[in-house]
Amino acid sequence: MVTAVTSLGRSGLSDWLLQRVSAVVLLAWFLVIGWVVATGIDYAGWQALFATAWMRIFTLLAVLSLAAHAWIGMWSVLTDYLTERLMGSKGNVLRIGLQLCISLLLFIAGHGWFYKLKKSFAGRELLHLFDNTFAIEFNPLMT
């Protein structure tokens, strides 16, 4: 069983399952986008499609699936091929460095994408999912 800190799911079975589920989500998203493009769509239709909440949520799910799928795939490749046994003492250092770079890249890309998503929901009801409305204000005068 995989118990390394860099493993996403902390076990080989959960990583395997998450890899397959994320692949199905990505396949479904690409099939929907492919079908929309194949049937012909103009800018106004594309804008209307992504104005719907279901498509935004589906796209968010696809992006999260892409991040999880990429992380598990890269982790598997790096831990299989960049090892001390195969590359000497440089293997572990190179693997950890690459994992840190990939983590930083995913963090920066995710942060930028969520910022863009938050701006696109401006003035809508779903905006409150992404702002600081989760903070609880304490007012001692309210009973």
Side-chain angles (χ1 to χ4, degrees):
M1 177 169 28
V2 177
T3 58
V5 174
T6 55
S7 172
L8 185 63
R10 307 295 176 170
S11 78
L13 179 61
S14 60
D15 283 350
W16 181 87
L17 188 60
L18 185 58
Q19 185 84 359
R20 274 45 183 191
V21 169
S22 65
V24 169
V25 170
L26 289 170
L27 175 66
W29 189 83
F30 279 108
L31 287 175
V32 167
I33 294 299
W35 178 76
V36 167
V37 170
T39 58
I41 189 167
D42 60 351
Y43 179 76
W46 191 260
Q47 195 172 20
L49 175 67
F50 277 92
T52 60
W54 74 267
M55 188 61 184
R56 288 178 183 223
I57 292 170
F58 190 32
T59 302
L60 174 63
L61 187 60
V63 169
L64 293 175
S65 294
L66 179 65
H69 193 87
W71 176 256
I72 293 170
M74 291 305 298
W75 179 85
S76 297
V77 169
L78 293 176
T79 55
D80 284 349
Y81 297 109
L82 296 180
T83 63
E84 194 171 346
R85 183 178 64 85
L86 292 175
M87 301 187 73
S89 60
K90 296 180 203 172
N92 287 336
V93 174
L94 186 58
R95 177 181 51 82
I96 291 171
L98 284 172
Q99 285 177 327
L100 287 173
C101 288
I102 292 168
S103 298
L104 184 63
L105 180 69
L106 285 173
F107 177 76
I108 291 169
H111 183 60
W113 198 81
F114 278 113
Y115 177 75
K116 185 175 176 99
L117 183 68
K118 180 179 176 179
K119 282 181 62 176
S120 72
F121 276 117
R124 297 180 188 210
E125 196 72 25
L126 292 175
L127 175 64
H128 301 294
L129 294 174
F130 303 107
D131 63 8
N132 294 328
T133 57
F134 294 110
I136 299 173
E137 294 181 23
F138 176 73
N139 187 350
L141 300 176
M142 290 186 66
T143 55

